[in-house]
Every structure is written in C-alpha cells, then in structure tokens.
Amino acid sequence: MSIAMTFNHIPVEGLLLKKRGMEHVWSLMNDRQGGGSNSSQFRFPVGLWVDNLQNMYVTDVLNFRVQYFPGVNSGNGTGTTVASGGLGYCYGLYVDRNGSIYVVDQTYNRIMKYSPSVSTTSDIQQVVNAQINQSRGLYVNENDGNSIYIADTLNHRIQKFVNGNDLTIGTTVAGVTGQPGSNANQLANPSAVIIDKQGNLYIADTSNSRIQKWSPNTFFGITVAGSQGGIAGTTAVDLNQPRALALNETGLLLYVADSGNDCVKMFLLN
C-alpha cells in the first residue's frame, strides 16, 4: 500500500464522500458566512453522493433535509428538497440504483428510506430503528439483497441489517459493542463504512486515526491506512480523525477524508 496523492486545504471536517462511477473526489464547501435555508444554500452540509449521471445529493444537517442537484456540471446551483419532514440531524446517505435514498437520522437513531419521487407518506419508510447510538455513516450492499451496514459510532461497532428480516435487530460484524480500543478486533467512534466487490469492509476508525479492512467472516481488522496502533499524525502515511471513505470502480484506489489534517488522501491498495 502506498500514498498516491494528497489534496490539500480542502475543508473536510464532517464531510462524507460517496462515489459511484466517478474517478475523482467531489468536495463541498460550506459558506459559513452566507449559509441559509433557501434552495441554493446550506447550513452545515455533510453527506455527499454523486451518481453515474453526475446528479448530486447532499445532507443539509442544520436545515434537516436532503437536497438534490441535477447534473453538477451544469453549473446550476439550485437544489430541490427530496427528503425532509420529521428528519433530525441527517448525516450519511446512500442512493441505490433505483434512486431510493437512505439517510442516517442521527437525532432519532434511525435510518430512513425515501422512494424516488416521494408523493405520499407511504413512500417514506423507517427501515432501521434499533439499538444504534449517534451513527454517522451507512452503506447499502446492493450485491447482497440491499443489506444495510451502519457505522454505529458511539457503540464502537459496525452493524448489519438484512433486508427482509427484522430490521430492529442487527448483527455486529466489526468492533466490540461498547468497548472502544485500538486492538485489531476493536474500533473507536467509527464514522463511515464502505464495501468492495469481494465483500470486504473498509471502516473509517475515526478516533484511532486509521482505516481498517475487515474481510468477511473474520473477527479482526487489518490496518490499510494510518497507524495500526491508533496514533494520529501529520505525515503522508498518517491520518488524523478520518471521517469518510470512497473506493474507485476498480477497488484499487481508496480516498480518505483526513479531517484532522484538512485534506483528502488517496491510497493505492495492494
């Protein structure tokens, strides 16, 4: 594993990067002086998703909504609200192939699903309402029946919920519930999780300042970026409070929002 590139001076505090079919990293800046609630403004944008058609979805945390921007290259800065109404502080999001939007509602410790072109309340589902605590990130594995993986931040674990089963009961697939630490079987305040085509989990182990790779049916992770011992740093191979992840289509390039170092780093995976 080696460092390929660092993108400096990008304000990535709290930014969740999501990619599909994109070979570059999008960053979204929050104008703290001019933030607002109209269709062209944000108040603390956090979650970001760009689909194959370059449509962009953003969780606008302090406006309690998800905003949609068609064709980000069009230069049109006007968004449409595609999820709101009863949402609390919404952080991570995932948009599946059918256009359904999954949102982490951190305030109410739940995952909400909004069908495309929501027109009635029946198009809105609470798909996970379980023992999760201040979760930040999620990933929907569309190659595994739309199973939902959640970075259960303050429980220091990754939870898996199988679509079609009781979504109030999750399975811990990484970390030890309620026991933060830097051992190979532990996590500390994980913020994001993504999955490659082989089913490996990549976890932003935030308070350990590292990225852990967790292979299927294993009980420990392998450090693929940052310090194995959970120590933050400022060198090219170090991380400091990473909060977001993205893989390219080949699964060989890993992008990390290195929040504490105010940059995005790209790692070449073996």
Side-chain angles (χ1 to χ4, degrees), residues 89-212:
Y89 294 139
C90 47
Y91 280 79
L93 82 162
Y94 184 101
V95 182
D96 69 18
R97 298 186 186 103
N98 298 318
S100 294
I101 304 167
Y102 297 77
V103 184
V104 177
D105 186 345
Q106 192 182 79
T107 302
Y108 299 108
N109 290 313
R110 62 185 181 177
I111 307 300
M112 302 298 293
K113 178 183 178 182
Y114 293 78
S115 298
S117 303
V118 171
S119 58
T120 67
T121 55
S122 64
D123 296 320
I124 304 173
Q125 297 176 280
Q126 182 173 275
V127 292
V128 172
N129 181 19
Q131 296 299 312
I132 56 178
N133 190 356
Q134 297 291 293
S135 301
R136 294 188 68 90
L138 85 160
Y139 190 91
V140 179
N141 190 352
E142 297 182 66
N143 297 318
D144 183 27
N146 280 18
S147 295
I148 301 172
Y149 292 76
I150 300 173
D152 189 7
T153 305
L154 293 191
N155 283 324
H156 313 291
R157 64 187 181 181
I158 304 299
Q159 291 291 92
K160 177 182 178 181
F161 295 84
V162 178
N163 193 22
N165 290 358
D166 185 351
L167 291 178
T168 65
I169 301 175
T171 301
T172 300
V173 294
V176 181
T177 301
Q179 297 183 27
S182 58
N183 293 328
N185 68 327
Q186 292 178 301
L187 301 169
N189 298 307
S191 292
V193 57
I194 57 176
I195 303 174
D196 67 14
K197 294 176 182 178
Q198 289 71 46
N200 299 303
L201 306 183
Y202 291 85
I203 302 164
D205 190 7
T206 302
S207 291
N208 282 323
S209 295
R210 65 187 183 183
I211 308 302
Q212 295 293 90

Side-chain angles (χ1 to χ4, degrees), residues 44-93:
F44 194 46
V46 172
L48 174 64
W49 186 277
V50 181
D51 66 17
N52 284 333
L53 299 177
Q54 299 190 46
N55 300 309
M56 184 167 67
Y57 301 78
V58 183
T59 55
D60 188 9
V61 176
L62 296 183
N63 282 321
F64 310 105
R65 65 186 182 183
V66 177
Q67 292 292 91
Y68 166 76
F69 297 83
V72 294
N73 284 340
S74 68
N76 184 350
T78 301
T80 300
T81 300
V82 292
S84 61
L87 278 177
Y89 294 139
C90 47
Y91 280 79
L93 82 162

